[in-house]
Amino acid sequence: GVPTMVCARSACDSLADGTGFEKAIIKDGIDTTSVEGLTEMPYAVANKQIDWARYSPGVRTWFWRSVGNTQNIFFAESFIDEMAHAAGKDPYEYRRALMDKHPRHKAVLELAAQKAGWGTPLAAGRARGIAVAESFGSYVAEVAEVSIENGKAKIHRVVIAADVGMVVNPDTVVAQMEGAMVYGLTAALYGDITFKDGKVEQNNFHDYQMLHMNEMPKVEVHLIKSGEAPGGGGEPGTPPIAPAVTNALFKLTGKRIRSLPIKV
């Protein structure tokens, strides 16, 4: 059940090329935004290979909230869940056992699981999923409590544990974590962009669906007290939510979701 090798290949366009940010972002010919979230995987695996293949689909892409971490954490945290299932292990315990050299990842993972009541009984038809990520110098774990209603995923509760280093204003960090999670949840559930005759079909909120107030889960944010250098607050809450939700859905359906937006 112990993993010995992981190979990940990201195939996407360069966000930085042609923007003026090339010197800061492109290192040795690699656009670092394209592999962030993969190169920082915290799991103890003896052999790792992370590749980037530049693929230009003809539609210009650029930065959004948490940049490359969003899709790459979705892939990485979905795959580690698949590995846990293949090993016959609990997804939380499997992650935790591979994090001895990454104490900050481990601490938020443990805190989120504890506060969410990981392993305790749930109402019929509900399941929990978990995911953890580091981005922009901050560490965030999220547990999503999910069911399926009328053929769609319904998220009832999200528990967030975050280590953003030294905190000056906790209320601001909590608000950012809540907002970042909702941003990621909207993208995971509804973030389709479609094209017709060479144009984007979505124009505004009337045809680009956002998470509605009646869909909002209960959210808890727990901050770890830390004297470490401050990390990001506005973006690190986004990456873990999609895999937390889809990992929960796997428990309900037995089917893995490997693309977004979510189709149950």
Side-chain angles (χ1 to χ4, degrees):
V2 178
T4 58
M5 181 187 75
V6 61
C7 178
R9 169 167 289 184
S10 169
C12 60
D13 208 351
S14 169
L15 298 185
D17 192 18
T19 66
F21 294 108
E22 292 90 347
K23 288 185 179 180
I25 292 175
I26 298 178
K27 307 293 184 184
D28 299 322
I30 303 294
D31 185 320
T32 56
T33 66
S34 300
V35 293
E36 60 186 358
L38 298 174
T39 51
E40 302 86 2
M41 282 188 290
Y43 305 108
V45 182
N47 306 285
K48 295 179 182 178
Q49 179 173 320
I50 312 298
D51 295 331
W52 174 52
R54 183 167 182 178
Y55 168 68
S56 300
V59 177
R60 189 72 174 98
T61 54
W62 214 34
F63 310 98
W64 80 313
R65 196 165 185 170
S66 80
V67 201
N69 291 287
T70 303
Q71 68 265 21
N72 291 335
I73 293 298
F74 170 65
F75 299 139
E77 285 297 294
S78 296
F79 189 61
I80 195 73
D81 230 69
E82 294 194 34
M83 292 166 66
H85 181 72
K89 303 291 185 181
D90 174 84
Y92 160 63
E93 296 292 352
Y94 187 79
R95 285 172 169 82
R96 184 173 175 272
L98 295 172
M99 285 184 172
D100 286 344
K101 293 184 178 179
H102 294 269
R104 296 179 75 183
H105 283 89
K106 191 174 184 179
V108 293
L109 182 80
E110 291 174 340
L111 183 59
Q114 174 201 338
K115 295 296 185 180
W118 188 269
T120 61
L122 281 168
R126 294 192 187 187
R128 296 184 186 98
I130 196 167
V132 62
E134 181 275 323
S135 59
F136 309 102
S138 294
Y139 302 76
V140 180
E142 297 179 7
V143 175
E145 185 177 318
V146 180
S147 70
I148 299 173
E149 296 186 9
N150 301 317
K152 295 182 179 181
K154 180 174 178 60
I155 293 76
H156 299 271
R157 181 186 182 210
V158 176
V159 176
I160 303 171
D163 173 1
V164 301
M166 190 180 300
V167 174
V168 176
N169 186 338
D171 287 348
T172 299
V173 178
V174 169
Q176 287 292 335
M177 287 293 158
E178 292 169 342
M181 182 280 294
V182 172
Y183 188 95
L185 186 55
T186 282
L189 294 174
Y190 304 121
D192 244 346
I193 295 292
T194 55
F195 292 82
K196 184 177 181 180
D197 299 328
K199 295 181 179 180
V200 174
E201 292 188 288
Q202 290 73 28
N203 179 262
N204 210 317
F205 294 127
H206 69 284
D207 53 15
Y208 181 81
Q209 188 171 347
M210 308 292 286
L211 194 76
H212 293 170
M213 289 180 70
N214 66 340
E215 299 173 294
M216 181 67 187
K218 294 180 180 178
V219 186
E220 299 172 29
V221 180
H222 303 277
L223 301 181
I224 288 182
K225 291 184 179 180
S226 173
E228 298 285 347
E235 300 188 82
T238 297
I241 188 58
V245 169
T246 56
N247 290 337
L249 289 170
F250 169 74
K251 293 181 181 179
L252 295 174
T253 67
K255 297 179 181 180
R256 287 289 176 186
I257 294 171
R258 297 192 174 99
S259 63
L260 299 175
I262 292 168
K263 302 285 191 289
V264 179

